[in-house]
């Protein structure tokens, strides 16, 4: 028989839960039970892989230390891992004994919490026990308490070895509805996914990839949801003022977006597209914010050039015509 113990406390010497577990382990050892304890506080980065350890278990003990409120984060994280990545068919065959020791208040609530959680997972319940401990020394040295714990350990062995039947619970019906909202994974997929989740390097790489993709699509759509491949093109077209006997070409390099907007004016015709053209009459460099201010009429091309917010190469007269060809400051 194999019984796993999952201890959710902090591992401090004065934790009475450790004393209880030692007595339980001693009895089970005498009964020739193979007992394996997992101290969750030592396995912070691998808790998500622990449902794999249920494979060969006939029964488990979930041991919680209530120090101020609830069963503690480590044990809850283990139960979360069982729900997300555990083999539900295997869990349904495993007896779980809850052991909750409190040094403040809430041992009965903790016992109920563990029982409900395991029933929702579809597992079987072996009668557990809880206790409030005011003085660690008195509790550990109390012979009557020790005898009670030993009898409980024998009961755990008896229940599991004899496969004592448990009556159905309403939690099973709830579980059937909840299971549809969880990941439907094969045992192999659950094991592999739990390994990935526990791999900090893998998780960090996934986060970086997601951020990179987000930045990529943000660049395509623009900060405010516009397609950056067409951003600014529509305002230029709508504010275009045809000029008789005038032709010129402009290449506006939007430095912080690494985009180049090419504009060609030929009398009443306008060609505008995001592309590079080294033969442009004017090559100007400006920021996305500067161009946006020009488009919104808050600034002119000439003022941007004079204040240094835009640099340009080419004929100054041709550059100055931008404010006449595109009437942004008049809108």
């Amino acid at each position: 028989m194999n019984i796993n113990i999952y201890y959710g406390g902090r591992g401090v010497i004065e934790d009475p839960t450790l004393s209880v577990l030692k007595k339980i382990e001693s009895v089970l050892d005498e009964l020739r039970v193979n007992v394996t304890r997992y101290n969750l506080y030592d396995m912070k980065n691998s808790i998500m892989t622990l449902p794999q350890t249920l494979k060969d278990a006939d029964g488990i003990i979930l041991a919680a230390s209530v120090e101020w409120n609830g069963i503690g984060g480590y044990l809850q994280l283990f139960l979360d891992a069982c729900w997300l990545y555990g083999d539900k068919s295997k869990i349904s065959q495993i007896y779980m004994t809850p052991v909750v020791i409190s040094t403040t208040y809430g041992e009965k609530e903790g016992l109920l919490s563990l029982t409900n959680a395991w029933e929702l997972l579809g597992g079987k319940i072996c009668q557990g026990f809880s206790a409030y401990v005011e003085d660690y020394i008195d509790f550990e040295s109390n012979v009557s308490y020790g005898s009670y714990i030993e009898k409980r350990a024998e009961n755990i062995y008896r229940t599991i070895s004899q496969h004592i039947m448990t009556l159905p619970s309403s939690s099973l019906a709830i579980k059937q509805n909840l299971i549809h909202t969880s990941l439907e994974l094969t045992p192999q997929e659950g094991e592999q996914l739990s390994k990935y989740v526990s791999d900090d390097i893998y998780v960090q790489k996934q986060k970086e990839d997601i951020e990179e993709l987000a930045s990529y699509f943000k660049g395509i759509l623009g900060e405010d949801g516009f397609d950056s491949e067409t951003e600014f093109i529509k305002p230029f077209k709508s504010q275009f003022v045809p000029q008789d006997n005038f032709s010129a070409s402009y290449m506006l390099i939007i430095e912080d977006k690494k985009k180049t907007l090419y504009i060609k004016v030929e009398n009443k015709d306008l060609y505008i597209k995001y592309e590079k053209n080294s033969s442009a009459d004017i090559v100007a460099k400006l920021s996305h914010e500067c161009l946006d201010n020009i488009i919104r009429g808050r600034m002119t091309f000439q003022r941007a050039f004079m204040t240094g917010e835009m640099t340009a190469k080419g004929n100054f007269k041709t550059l100055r015509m931008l404010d006449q060809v595109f009437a942004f400051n008049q809108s």
Side-chain angles (χ1 to χ4, degrees), residues 205-219:
K205 183 65 170 61
Q206 290 298 300
K207 289 180 179 179
E208 291 173 358
D209 290 344
I210 291 171
E211 289 176 1
E212 185 177 339
L213 284 172
S215 298
Y216 172 75
F217 286 111
K218 190 175 182 180

Side-chain angles (χ1 to χ4, degrees), residues 260-277:
T260 300
L261 186 62
Y262 177 68
I263 303 169
K264 184 176 181 180
V265 178
E266 191 76 38
N267 296 322
K268 296 182 179 181
D269 297 325
L270 172 65
Y271 174 86
I272 179 169
K273 192 175 182 180
Y274 279 100
E275 64 181 26
K276 293 182 180 180
N277 192 316

Side-chain angles (χ1 to χ4, degrees), residues 84-290:
L84 293 171
Y85 313 117
D87 182 352
K88 304 300 191 301
S89 62
K90 175 58 182 174
I91 290 175
S92 67
Q93 303 169 20
I94 299 175
Y95 287 86
M96 186 280 292
T97 302
V99 175
V100 182
I101 309 299
S102 169
T103 55
T104 53
Y105 170 81
E107 68 280 358
K108 294 187 182 300
E109 289 78 1
L111 192 75
L112 182 60
S113 176
L114 291 177
T115 301
N116 288 340
W118 196 251
E119 285 185 334
L120 280 174
L121 285 167
K124 299 178 180 180
I125 301 299
C126 180
Q127 186 179 11
F129 60 93
S130 63
Y132 164 69
V133 176
E134 184 175 7
D135 186 284
Y136 167 75
I137 302 298
D138 289 345
F139 178 80
E140 187 175 22
S141 59
N142 190 299
V143 177
S144 298
Y145 292 163
S147 176
Y148 177 87
I149 294 169
E150 289 172 358
K151 288 181 180 179
R152 286 292 188 172
E154 292 171 1
N155 186 59
I156 294 171
Y157 172 80
R158 192 176 301 109
T159 299
I160 298 173
S161 62
Q162 296 178 9
H163 299 286
I164 294 178
M165 184 185 70
T166 58
L167 294 174
S169 166
S170 60
S171 297
L172 182 61
I174 297 174
K175 180 230 177 187
Q176 294 303 323
N177 294 326
L178 289 177
I179 198 68
H180 297 297
T181 65
S182 67
L183 294 174
E184 295 185 4
L185 304 172
T186 65
Q188 293 77 17
E189 290 171 335
E191 180 176 337
Q192 191 63 48
L193 186 56
S194 66
K195 288 180 180 178
Y196 285 145
V197 172
S198 295
D199 187 340
D200 290 340
I201 296 176
Y202 175 83
V203 172
Q204 183 61 33
K205 183 65 170 61
Q206 290 298 300
K207 289 180 179 179
E208 291 173 358
D209 290 344
I210 291 171
E211 289 176 1
E212 185 177 339
L213 284 172
S215 298
Y216 172 75
F217 286 111
K218 190 175 182 180
I220 292 177
L221 296 175
E223 296 287 343
D224 50 5
F226 292 111
D227 187 343
S228 65
E229 295 299 325
T230 60
E231 187 184 12
F232 295 134
I233 290 180
K234 186 176 180 180
F236 270 101
K237 287 183 176 180
S238 64
Q239 298 300 318
F240 175 56
V241 180
Q243 304 289 319
D244 293 330
N245 302 317
F246 175 74
S247 62
S249 57
Y250 304 86
M251 190 165 68
L252 304 181
I253 301 173
I254 308 171
E255 294 183 289
D256 51 340
K257 293 296 181 180
K258 297 181 180 180
K259 293 285 185 179
T260 300
L261 186 62
Y262 177 68
I263 303 169
K264 184 176 181 180
V265 178
E266 191 76 38
N267 296 322
K268 296 182 179 181
D269 297 325
L270 172 65
Y271 174 86
I272 179 169
K273 192 175 182 180
Y274 279 100
E275 64 181 26
K276 293 182 180 180
N277 192 316
S278 57
S279 63
D281 299 320
I282 299 292
V283 178
K285 294 182 179 180
L286 71 173
S287 67
H288 180 277
E289 182 181 3
C290 179

